[in-house]
Amino acid sequence: MTPEKNSDLPDRKTMRRKGFDYNSCGVYFLSICTKNRKNILSDIVGTGVPDGPLPEVKLTPYGIIADKYLRQMSEFYDQLSVDLYVIMPNHIHILLRVDNGPSGTPVPTTAQNTVVARFVSTFKRFCNKEYGTNVWQARSFDHIVRNNDDYIYCKNYILNNPRRWRLDELYAEN
């Protein structure tokens, strides 16, 4: 017997790659947005003219807390490391490396129970506890980095995101 679907909930399709083991070694490009895309994490200072110096990312108190937990996450997960990240006004981009699978019994790879999903969930939970409220959008975006060219593309995207802030699809003035 299958459970009845609650018609009050939105119909959401998974963004996950079918059949892919999200516990496997590799690099993942993550985007985590603030609720309602509120600009609470940082301010982008400077114009960011093409080929000019990068604008400065000035962290707000919320951004400072997010930065603290991004720096600490590898202490909670031996197999994870954050290669690179940028804290934008209303979102964070992260290159997350999974060096080896979880030790012990294999973990089921349902979307909610992968090492990548647990990383995002733990990060949000730690931040929210210190914030005293939930500031994050419920869902996050992840992309499996498939090869070195893809890695370089994602790395450059993160490094140049402050320069392109006003052109960014997540840009919002609020």
Side-chain angles (χ1 to χ4, degrees):
M1 176 178 242
T2 58
E4 286 188 32
K5 183 177 176 183
N6 184 340
S7 61
D8 295 336
L9 297 176
D11 215 9
R12 293 187 176 158
K13 70 177 192 171
T14 182
M15 299 295 285
R16 300 266 169 174
R17 183 173 162 198
K18 190 174 182 166
F20 184 81
D21 179 0
Y22 281 82
N23 286 321
S24 63
C25 296
V27 178
Y28 301 86
F29 175 81
L30 307 176
S31 297
I32 304 171
C33 294
T34 59
K35 196 185 297 183
N36 300 319
R37 294 190 178 160
K38 287 194 167 195
N39 294 339
I40 60 172
L41 300 173
S42 70
D43 293 309
I44 306 300
V45 179
T47 59
V49 293
D51 298 323
L54 277 177
E56 186 178 354
V57 177
K58 292 212 175 222
L59 298 180
T60 66
Y62 285 107
I64 291 168
I65 291 167
D67 182 65
K68 175 177 83 172
Y69 287 114
L70 283 171
R71 292 176 186 274
Q72 290 180 0
M73 289 305 288
S74 61
E75 295 174 20
F76 303 113
Y77 296 99
D78 292 336
Q79 71 273 25
L80 297 179
S81 60
V82 175
D83 281 4
L84 182 67
Y85 64 92
V86 64
I87 300 174
M88 298 298 291
N90 63 12
H91 65 283
I92 299 173
H93 292 304
I94 304 166
L95 271 175
L96 180 69
R97 182 175 302 275
V98 178
D99 290 323
N100 53 27
S103 58
T105 309
V107 176
T109 58
T110 61
Q112 297 80 22
N113 205 15
T114 66
V115 68
V116 174
R118 287 192 316 258
F119 169 89
V120 172
S121 175
T122 301
F123 167 73
K124 289 179 179 180
R125 188 174 62 250
F126 285 167
C127 288
N128 288 339
K129 185 174 182 181
E130 194 160 334
Y131 298 153
T133 187
N134 177 26
V135 302
W136 304 107
Q137 186 172 288
R139 299 180 89 186
S140 60
F141 169 81
D142 59 65
H143 163 77
I144 304 160
V145 178
R146 290 174 171 80
N147 55 43
N148 192 53
D149 288 342
D150 196 16
Y151 182 89
I152 291 169
Y153 175 83
C154 293
K155 178 181 174 182
N156 286 332
Y157 186 90
I158 288 172
L159 291 172
N160 289 305
N161 206 225
R163 178 179 284 138
R164 299 184 42 79
W165 170 233
R166 286 183 172 48
L167 304 173
D168 195 293
E169 67 184 54
L170 298 175
Y171 175 77
E173 285 190 40
N174 62 355

